[in-house]
Amino acid sequence: MGRIGQPRMLGERSIEQGVASDDGARGVRPVRSVTVNITESPLGWLFARGFVSQRQYDAGERLRSDWERAQLAPRVTMAWDSAPVARGRGGSAAEPDLTGAQIDARRRFDDAIASAGPGLADILWRVVCAGEGMRDAETALGWPARAGKLVLTFALNRVADYYRVR
């Protein structure tokens, strides 16, 4: 906790399975860790200000993690696959070569979005995965101000049920 009961804005999060420390006093230490600014994302901003619960935040983070692991975000750089040499010859693979982890993450993401429902999936994807601010998401969807927070909490509750977050 930060000062006067406020949640900390920065926290250390393990990104791999931990290993036993040399001195044994501290138990397991993370192999790698990263300092995360939870106000960096719109969902983190909402969590830091008490608009979403810990359960809803954790569900949103699981959804975003699956989104990133499945590599569903659009490409922002050039594809450096080899170009076909001549017409009719194939130089690059027709479809991407996906790993098992990517396929599993894609399946979990699709199932989680489906569990949110068609009316709730739009705001969920925009805020959690695309990183749009609440005002921008509400405007893009043609919703009145402050309607998005309520709908987002419904969607996050359904996704938390899907991921079995308690």
Side-chain angles (χ1 to χ4, degrees), residues 26-99:
R26 289 180 285 181
V28 176
R29 66 174 174 80
V31 174
R32 295 186 310 166
S33 64
V34 62
T35 300
V36 178
N37 182 351
I38 63 171
T39 61
E40 188 174 275
S41 71
L43 183 62
W45 187 92
L46 291 167
F47 173 66
R49 283 154 182 81
F51 293 117
V52 296
S53 68
Q54 180 71 49
R55 178 178 184 259
Q56 293 165 336
Y57 175 77
D58 290 343
E61 285 296 303
R62 291 274 310 267
L63 182 70
R64 188 185 55 78
S65 175
D66 282 341
W67 164 263
E68 290 177 359
R69 186 168 287 129
Q71 296 181 358
L72 295 172
R75 286 183 124 160
V76 293
T77 62
M78 182 172 180
W80 293 99
D81 299 337
S82 59
V85 177
R87 186 177 218 157
R89 293 177 141 178
S92 60
E95 294 184 21
D97 185 21
L98 300 176
T99 66

Side-chain angles (χ1 to χ4, degrees), residues 109-130:
F109 175 80
D110 289 341
D111 291 347
I113 288 290
S115 72
L120 305 177
D122 295 337
I123 190 80
L124 184 65
W125 178 84
R126 286 179 178 277
V127 174
V128 175
C129 301

Side-chain angles (χ1 to χ4, degrees), residues 66 69-70 99-110 162:
D66 282 341
R69 186 168 287 129
T99 66
Q102 288 174 309
I103 293 168
D104 288 343
R106 173 67 186 252
R107 180 192 48 78
R108 284 190 309 269
F109 175 80
D110 289 341
Y162 169 78

